[in-house]
Amino acid sequence: MAAVGSGGSPAAAGPGAVSAGALEPGTATAGETGWRERAEVGVQDLPHPFPDTSARIPARRRLKYISLAVLVVQNASLILSIRYARTLPGDRFFATTAVVMAEVLKGLTCLLLLFAQKRGNVKHLVLFLHEAVLVQYVDTLKLAVPSLIYTLQNNLQYVAISNLPAATFQVTYQLKILTTALFSVLMLNRSLSRLQWASLLLLFTGVAIVQAQQAGGGGPRPLDQNPGVGLAAVVASCLSSGFAGVYFEKILKGSSGSVWLRNLQLGLFGTALGLVGLWWTEGTAVAHRGFFFGYTPAVWGVVLNQAFGGLLVAVVVKYADNILKGFATSLSIVLSTVASIRLFGFHVDPLFALGAGLVIGAVYLYSLPRGAAKAIASASASTSGPCTRQQPPGQPPPPQLSSHRGDVSTEPLLPKSVLVK
């Protein structure tokens, strides 16, 4: 999963798509600017100094629900589609070619979007790309490291999903929250609350229980699947996801590049590095059988999901707060489990249910904004201060109006660069 999106991630946000908010802190996107301009015009036309904004609330709520649906469907459908395509009888496609194709499609899509932003002027587009990619080559080269890691991560995901049930992979892959948190502490000097540390411990415990169930033989498995290889691949994928997300945030913090430009640059590096990996691991076989050997409609569905699903998540993720992202992750785990029962005959035993439940609870607890606890503490302290009005006995204190909506720096689920490949 690799389009650049917004916090750890993924989602399942994914690796390689960048969200607008992740790259330009403190700046407004074109859509947000347009909304503000329309809002200001509307206020000027209103005679009353306090315009009624109640009509905007349902629209914002719909956007949040749409964001939730997109995050859940993309997280679950990508894993299920890969599992389905890799377990179909017949010729098996080369996973490295699917990674390359997803990068190519993602890069072309971003190029078309940039072309549209330049109002179809080819000359302006060429000058813009020359300035952003070649003249500012230092910023471009900074993306080589995360792009390399994302390419490795995407290939590891194919290995992991080919050897683990979709539901088991979905639960285990939440270790990316743990790795992202640890790398944030080590590389960005961030601090975690006690609740977050406790939720990380709970997360690790839940994943360990699920893996113990898998090692104990949770149902029949095909002979060509190795759970040990799958576990090693998913752990390596989580480590790379955590490091790449934090590294991407560290080197590009305050960058002025647009979301589509960054994804185009990632796509260029990803395509080149993907071709190198293809040649190194499966070059002879691909040369003998062909680049598109084994491609079926299901495989093309996986490629399109990786390419466009991640970009779509990068767009909608700005409407989702941390709690919504945690809820989306929890729902995607449940959806993947239910679909695995239906599609692949997956058996849910009490041990798996316990581990998955712990992971879902840990994801939700970790996604709670730190500002909520601080607001409660400051509200209770302000009631006893000399400048505040004392409340009558039995009456709750007045609500505190915060100047911000939680600590954005602790966003855990969708790192600044989310793997979506």
Side-chain angles (χ1 to χ4, degrees):
M1 312 175 184
V4 180
S6 131
S9 213
V18 184
S19 72
L23 296 176
E24 304 177 38
T27 62
T29 62
E32 293 170 337
T33 303
W35 180 88
R36 289 172 183 169
E37 291 172 352
R38 290 191 297 271
E40 291 170 358
V41 172
V43 171
Q44 293 170 0
D45 295 338
L46 288 172
H48 198 278
F50 301 100
D52 183 14
T53 60
S54 60
R56 300 175 190 163
I57 296 178
R60 293 178 182 177
R61 188 172 300 162
R62 283 196 298 270
L63 284 174
K64 293 190 70 172
Y65 289 148
I66 292 173
S67 302
L68 174 63
V70 170
L71 292 173
V72 171
V73 171
Q74 205 278 333
N75 285 340
S77 64
L78 180 59
I79 295 171
L80 292 169
S81 61
I82 292 178
R83 177 67 179 178
Y84 179 75
R86 296 296 283 177
T87 55
L88 282 176
D91 297 327
R92 177 176 287 190
F93 67 98
F94 299 110
T96 51
T97 64
V99 172
V100 171
M101 282 304 304
E103 290 293 341
V104 170
L105 291 176
K106 185 181 72 175
L108 290 176
T109 302
C110 293
L111 185 62
L112 289 175
L113 291 171
L114 289 173
F115 181 66
Q117 286 183 350
K118 300 302 177 182
R119 303 182 184 276
N121 191 312
V122 177
K123 181 180 179 180
H124 288 176
L125 177 64
V126 171
L127 292 176
F128 169 76
L129 292 178
H130 177 267
E131 173 70 21
V133 177
L134 298 180
V135 176
Q136 301 180 21
Y137 66 92
V138 175
D139 282 346
T140 302
L141 290 177
K142 288 180 181 180
L143 291 168
V145 173
S147 183
L148 172 63
I149 299 174
Y150 288 144
T151 303
L152 173 64
Q153 180 184 354
N154 290 336
N155 285 281
L156 287 173
Q157 281 189 327
Y158 276 99
V159 175
I161 298 175
S162 299
N163 289 278
L164 291 174
T168 302
F169 172 84
Q170 181 76 294
V171 173
T172 309
Y173 191 59
Q174 301 314 311
L175 282 175
K176 69 179 185 286
I177 299 175
L178 173 62
T179 59
T180 302
L182 294 179
F183 281 120
S184 296
V185 172
L186 295 175
M187 297 173 61
L188 301 178
N189 296 321
R190 284 182 179 164
S191 61
L192 302 179
S193 65
R194 292 181 180 178
L195 179 61
Q196 287 178 318
W197 283 114
S199 64
L200 292 176
L201 178 60
L202 194 66
L203 173 69
F204 183 82
T205 303
V207 171
I209 291 175
V210 170
Q211 287 302 319
Q213 178 266 352
Q214 181 70 23
R221 68 173 67 98
L223 296 177
D224 61 342
Q225 295 182 19
N226 189 330
V229 173
L231 175 60
V234 74
V235 170
S237 182
C238 290
L239 287 171
S240 62
S241 173
F243 176 79
V246 175
Y247 177 84
F248 191 91
E249 178 182 357
K250 184 179 179 67
I251 65 173
L252 289 181
K253 207 164 189 178
S255 171
S256 60
S258 70
V259 54
W260 308 125
L261 173 62
R262 292 312 182 199
N263 278 287
L264 173 61
Q265 293 170 316
L266 283 175
L268 293 174
F269 280 115
T271 300
L273 295 170
L275 288 172
V276 172
L278 184 154
W279 172 79
W280 183 266
T281 59
E282 299 174 320
T284 303
V286 171
H288 176 68
R289 297 188 174 184
F291 188 91
F292 297 105
F293 173 79
Y295 271 57
T296 64
V299 178
W300 281 110
V302 171
V303 172
L304 294 175
N305 195 338
Q306 281 190 311
F308 302 125
L311 293 176
L312 182 61
V313 168
V315 172
V316 305
V317 77
K318 64 181 178 180
Y319 300 108
D321 54 23
N322 284 350
I323 296 179
L324 191 67
K325 295 171 191 173
F327 192 48
T329 301
S330 302
L331 283 180
S332 65
I333 293 175
V334 174
L335 181 60
S336 297
T337 303
V338 173
S340 296
I341 296 173
R342 179 74 175 176
L343 296 175
F344 311 118
F346 182 72
H347 175 68
V348 178
D349 60 14
L351 203 58
F352 177 87
L354 174 61
L358 290 176
V359 170
I360 291 174
V363 169
Y364 176 77
L365 291 176
Y366 188 80
S367 63
L368 290 176
R370 182 184 297 182
K374 292 181 179 179
I376 295 175
S378 61
S380 60
S382 64
T383 58
S384 58
C387 298
T388 58
R389 181 173 57 88
Q390 296 295 326
Q391 296 294 311
Q395 295 293 326
Q400 290 289 313
L401 297 179
S402 176
S403 60
H404 62 283
R405 300 178 63 185
D407 186 0
V408 179
S409 67
T410 61
E411 182 175 285
L413 295 176
L414 294 175
K416 297 299 178 186
S417 51
V418 176
L419 176 65
V420 296
K421 302 175 186 174

